[in-house]
Amino acid sequence: MRIRLVQGLALLSTGALAGAFGYGAANLVPTFNAVPLDMRLSFHTQLMQMNGITMQGAMAMSALSALALAAMTCGVARRLAGGAGLLAVASFLITRLGNVPINGRIKQWAATSAPADHAEILARWEAFNYARTGAAFAAFALLILLSLRRSHSAQDPNDRP
């Protein structure tokens, strides 16, 4: 029963993480690129202040629950859960080492002005964003696969059509 609870938490948190990053990649980034630069910088700065706690919490919960699930299982289940946990850690590292430093620069630009090479720097932020989104979706996919494997193997053989 404890494994199922941890698995449910891993699915929920990793799905929320993938959904949040996916929404950002599909909707926020194109919107950032469609509005004037000063509006993007102001909105981006404000959004990052709001996202700080919630996204870090989602990344931490995803990584910890998936790695806990890996520790509680064995074989293929351990590899799938461990892979999901490592991908969640990767999304955190990409964010922390890639996006966050650029967010700091964007915050400065919003208060002053963007440098001549701002388009290249913003494109790098977007590349990091797509990488962390991909890592989160891959983690979620591994946990879905694990869940489908477990539910299939738990079926009663006499209950098949």
Side-chain angles (χ1 to χ4, degrees):
M1 180 58 139
R2 203 171 2 165
I3 288 176
R4 291 183 58 104
L5 289 173
V6 172
Q7 183 176 355
L9 180 60
L11 276 167
L12 177 64
S13 59
T14 307
L17 180 66
F21 280 149
Y23 177 83
N27 295 295
L28 290 176
V29 170
T31 302
F32 282 162
N33 291 327
V35 299
L37 181 61
D38 62 331
M39 185 181 292
R40 176 194 178 146
L41 298 178
S42 296
F43 182 74
H44 191 116
T45 299
Q46 198 60 36
L47 182 64
M48 294 311 111
Q49 286 178 341
M50 301 303 289
N51 276 355
I53 300 289
T54 57
M55 292 308 292
Q56 287 182 49
M59 287 182 276
M61 188 59 66
S62 296
L64 292 174
S65 59
L67 292 172
L69 184 61
M72 298 168 80
T73 56
C74 58
V76 174
R78 175 173 280 168
R79 289 190 293 278
L80 290 171
L86 292 176
L87 285 162
V89 169
S91 75
F92 171 77
L93 292 173
I94 293 165
T95 300
R96 192 76 193 118
L97 302 174
N99 296 94
V100 169
I102 296 172
N103 289 343
R105 294 174 80 177
I106 291 171
K107 183 178 179 180
Q108 291 174 337
W109 302 345
T112 58
S113 64
D117 65 342
H118 73 274
E120 177 186 315
I121 296 167
L122 293 174
R124 200 167 48 235
W125 184 93
E126 290 175 16
F128 287 130
N129 187 59
Y130 293 129
R132 68 184 180 177
T133 301
F137 269 89
F140 188 41
L142 289 178
L143 290 170
I144 290 171
L145 181 60
L146 174 59
S147 180
L148 292 174
R149 273 187 87 257
R150 289 175 91 46
S151 66
H152 178 69
S153 65
Q155 274 185 346
D156 181 348
N158 298 322
D159 203 21
R160 293 190 182 163

